[in-house]
């Protein structure tokens, strides 16, 4: 017996129905926001991912050497591949360029509920604009993708790395200190943050103030903290404009300012945001995104880039936890030849109905009528057609409603129109 690799999953037809429903809904929302889908390869040169994040990231990747000695990696995310593609072939496209994608990613993570080694992301990048309305639209897109899919409880948090960096400076924390602190802040391990600050000789009052500003959603308090830092003040005013658009133009009021959002990857530069599904508990983050800089590193002409990635698998987990009723796919009609002589005509009827786009299944096991009806019920067919010699003599068929058990004779010529009613 072969085992499935750790952290990967097989999906049953029922699970695939759910996944396709969610995927289609997400793609529809991307489309309504003017995004066009692209696709990039499953594996890339390893360097694409180490260029910004450093060699340390290799531990988290599925990397390998191919037969010609190239160092390759299965993609852990799609932003770097999309920017590579953009630099290679899309730089001359009219701006802003709105690209979306949907694909599986691979990380050498420790598997648990909501965390897999193969998982799917739905995401997008917007290239060539840095207006407040563009960023507000980007956040709104992530928000409405999740809302339109049917997730009821979501928590949108918005942060800003320029402002956070200014706060670090206000508290006289060096870049090295910041590197130590940011992973702890990212994981909301505030006791550890406090400990590190103590070791750095920061006094208790200052530690308290620092933790307070990291966790506050009171914009006045934040504004107070960055007074005098022109770059941060400018970013703060910009952030307020983004929030204004979100509220008044995109009708999103349920957001929270959270400076402790630092994002795991090293690309991000200014505005950042995350969306959580609190019902999920530990692995509750559904979406992460923001403004980032990768173009210059990848040899492209610098322009603004921003984007987000939604965890597709966790979105489904959130829907299931909220008892979302997924639309089920069904078979419109199950055709049963009542004896072997009826098989050719039954197949012909199936052909005629399928041509009209009707979802048809047919008995392929030469089972009796009773067993076939049982099977038709088990595959949730809504109707059955019984093809029998007596009715056929009169150019007719028996149509049975499998929900009510009612059945009547329908002229063969009228079967398509009757089913389409
Ligand atoms: P990131 O690229 O790390 O910002 O991730 C974006 C989103 O992908 C996260 O918010 C998660 O929803 C999802 N995600 C990241 N890593 C995993 C994983 N190992 N398994 C399942 N989903 C993941």
């Amino acid at each position: 017996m072969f085992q499935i690799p750790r952290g990967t999953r097989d999906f049953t037809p029922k699970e695939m129905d759910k996944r396709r429903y969610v995927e289609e809904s997400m793609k529809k929302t991307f489309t309504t926001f003017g995004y066009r889908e692209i696709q990039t390869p499953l594996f890339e040169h390893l360097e694409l991912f180490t260029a910004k994040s450093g060699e340390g990231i290799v531990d988290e990747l599925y990397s390998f050497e191919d037969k010609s000695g190239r160092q390759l990696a299965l993609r852990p995310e799609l932003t770097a591949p999309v920017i590579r593609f953009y630099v290679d072939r899309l730089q001359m496209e009219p701006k802003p360029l709105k690209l979306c994608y949907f694909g599986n990613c691979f990380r050498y993570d420790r598997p648990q509920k909501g965390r897999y080694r193969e998982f799917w992301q739905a995401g997008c990048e917007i290239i060539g604009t840095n207006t407040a309305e563009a960023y507000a639209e980007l956040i709104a897109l992530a928000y409405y993708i999740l809302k339109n899919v049917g997730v009821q409880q979501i928590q949108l948090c918005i942060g800003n790395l320029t402002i956070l960096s200014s706060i670090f400076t206000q508290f006289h924390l060096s870049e090295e200190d910041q590197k130590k602190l940011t992973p702890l802040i990212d994981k909301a391990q505030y006791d550890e943050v406090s400990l590190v600050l103590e070791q750095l000789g920061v006094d208790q009052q200052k530690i308290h103030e620092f933790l307070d500003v990291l966790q506050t959603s009171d914009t006045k308090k934040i504004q107070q903290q960055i007074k005098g830092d022109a770059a941060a003040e400018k970013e703060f005013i910009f952030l307020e404009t983004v929030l204004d658009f979100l509220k008044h133009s995109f009708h999103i009021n349920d957001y929270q300012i959270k400076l402790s959002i630092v994002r795991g990857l090293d690309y991000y530069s200014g505005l950042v945001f995350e969306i959580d599904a609190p019902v999920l508990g530990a692995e509750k983050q559904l979406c992460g995104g923001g403004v980032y800089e990768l173009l210059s590193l990848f040899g492209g002409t610098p322009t603004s880039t921003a984007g987000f990635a939604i965890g597709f698998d966790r979105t489904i987990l959130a829907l299931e936890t909220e008892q979302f009723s997924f639309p089920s796919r069904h078979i419109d009609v199950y055709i049963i030849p009542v004896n072997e002589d009826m098989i050719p005509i039954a197949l012909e009827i199936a052909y005629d109905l399928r041509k009209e786009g009707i979802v048809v299944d047919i008995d392929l096991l030469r089972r009796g009528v009773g067993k076939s009806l049982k099977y038709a019920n088990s595959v949730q067919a809504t109707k059955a057609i019984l093809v029998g010699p007596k009715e056929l003599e009169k150019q007719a068929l028996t149509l049975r409603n499998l929900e009510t058990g009612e059945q009547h004779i329908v002229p063969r010529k009228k079967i398509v129109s009757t089913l389409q009613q």
Side-chain angles (χ1 to χ4, degrees):
M1 261 293 270
F2 293 112
Q3 299 274 312
I4 193 168
R6 186 165 145 80
T8 66
R9 290 154 298 157
D10 294 315
F11 301 107
T12 62
K14 214 168 164 189
E15 286 164 336
M16 279 314 293
D17 281 350
K18 290 184 185 180
R19 294 175 74 83
R20 289 294 184 225
Y21 160 76
V22 171
E23 181 182 339
E24 276 158 32
S25 165
M26 287 179 170
K27 283 183 176 166
K28 203 162 150 195
T29 308
F30 273 124
T31 308
T32 62
F33 275 64
Y35 280 76
R36 305 280 307 276
E37 191 179 350
I38 54 164
Q39 217 173 52
T40 61
L42 204 63
F43 56 87
E44 297 272 356
H45 289 289
L46 174 62
E47 225 188 324
L48 183 76
F49 304 111
T50 53
K52 184 84 180 181
S53 308
E55 290 298 321
I57 192 149
V58 177
D59 290 344
E60 296 165 36
L61 297 179
Y62 275 90
S63 56
F64 57 98
E65 192 179 292
D66 77 358
K67 292 186 173 64
S68 302
R70 296 180 193 96
Q71 296 298 318
L72 301 171
L74 300 184
R75 60 186 181 202
E77 51 97 28
L78 277 121
T79 298
V82 171
I83 296 303
R84 173 198 52 69
F85 178 25
Y86 168 77
V87 171
D88 188 25
R89 282 178 43 203
L90 302 172
Q91 291 201 85
M92 301 310 283
E93 294 288 314
K95 303 289 184 309
L97 188 58
K98 289 174 153 182
L99 306 171
C100 68
Y101 57 78
F102 188 90
N104 46 352
C105 302
F106 303 83
R107 294 185 192 172
Y108 202 76
D109 258 329
R110 200 149 50 98
Q112 54 187 289
K113 190 176 172 225
R115 186 169 287 281
Y116 312 99
R117 290 186 169 175
E118 184 196 27
F119 62 99
W120 273 255
Q121 281 190 344
C124 69
E125 316 300 336
I126 182 162
I127 305 172
T129 173
N130 62 358
T131 61
E133 58 273 27
Y135 295 155
E137 191 196 62
L138 183 75
I139 298 172
L141 172 57
Y143 179 95
Y144 284 116
I145 284 176
L146 293 169
K147 282 281 173 195
N148 291 346
V149 151
V151 186
Q152 281 175 25
Q153 241 198 81
I154 56 175
Q155 216 168 46
L156 165 62
C157 295
I158 302 170
N160 188 294
L161 296 181
T162 312
I163 297 172
L164 180 67
S165 165
S166 166
I167 286 165
F168 277 127
T169 313
Q170 307 275 334
F171 283 86
H172 308 290
L173 296 163
S174 69
E175 253 186 49
E176 198 146 303
D177 302 336
Q178 293 182 30
K179 274 202 185 125
K180 244 188 257 168
L181 289 167
T182 45
L184 300 174
I185 295 171
D186 189 30
K187 291 187 205 108
Q189 293 171 337
Y190 294 114
D191 288 345
E192 280 85 344
V193 172
S194 188
L195 216 67
V196 172
L197 290 172
E198 247 174 64
Q199 283 161 1
L200 290 169
V202 181
D203 71 48
Q204 284 302 328
Q205 173 64 21
K206 283 274 173 208
I207 293 176
H208 181 76
E209 277 173 33
F210 181 77
L211 291 178
D212 191 40
V213 72
L214 275 191
Q215 293 173 80
T216 188
S217 53
D218 179 354
T219 48
K220 293 269 175 312
K221 239 185 206 171
I222 297 167
Q223 195 176 19
Q224 195 62 30
Q225 271 305 329
I226 56 170
K227 241 186 185 153
D229 179 340
E233 280 183 325
K234 198 170 152 209
E235 196 69 25
F236 182 83
I237 291 166
F238 182 79
L239 177 63
E240 283 198 313
T241 317
V242 173
L243 300 179
D244 266 352
F245 278 128
L246 265 189
K247 247 186 290 186
H248 300 120
S249 309
F250 294 97
H251 310 284
I252 297 174
N253 292 301
D254 49 342
Y255 62 80
Q256 217 184 322
I257 294 298
K258 204 167 151 197
L259 284 185
S260 58
I261 299 179
V262 293
R263 311 284 306 119
L265 296 166
D266 309 307
Y267 318 150
Y268 293 94
S269 51
L271 182 84
V272 282
F273 64 96
E274 289 179 351
I275 304 178
D276 288 349
V279 283
L280 288 183
E283 300 299 328
K284 63 180 179 186
Q285 196 193 304
L286 290 186
C287 171
V291 177
Y292 58 85
E293 217 296 276
L294 268 183
L295 274 176
S296 51
L297 188 73
F298 285 12
T301 309
T303 186
S304 303
T305 47
F308 63 76
I310 291 177
F312 178 75
D313 310 87
R314 287 188 199 170
T315 307
I316 290 172
L317 278 178
L319 287 167
E320 286 171 345
T321 313
E322 288 181 345
Q323 317 264 315
F324 179 77
S325 101
F326 288 88
S328 61
R329 290 190 194 209
H330 61 269
I331 286 165
D332 294 325
V333 59
Y334 191 81
I335 302 179
I336 306 168
V338 305
N339 63 42
E340 290 185 16
D341 293 340
M342 296 296 111
I343 292 171
I345 190 90
L347 288 170
E348 199 180 306
I349 293 163
Y351 175 83
D352 290 345
L353 299 182
R354 285 170 176 155
K355 228 170 34 184
E356 298 302 320
I358 296 167
V359 182
V360 176
D361 200 1
I362 184 166
D363 170 38
L364 299 173
L365 272 175
R366 305 188 178 188
R367 276 192 280 231
V369 172
K371 277 189 179 163
S372 282
L373 283 173
K374 219 169 146 195
Y375 177 79
N377 274 318
S378 76
V379 293
Q380 279 155 3
T382 45
K383 292 196 172 74
I385 291 175
L386 296 142
V387 185
K390 264 198 228 139
E391 293 78 18
L392 262 188
E393 264 176 32
K394 294 178 216 145
Q395 290 297 310
L397 304 161
T398 303
L399 181 64
R400 185 182 171 96
N401 183 326
L402 292 173
E403 278 147 16
T404 62
E406 278 173 57
Q407 61 180 47
H408 53 274
I409 309 291
V410 179
R412 200 186 148 185
K413 272 192 190 149
K414 290 198 172 155
I415 193 72
V416 171
S417 56
T418 309
L419 285 170
Q420 282 171 338
Q421 269 165 20

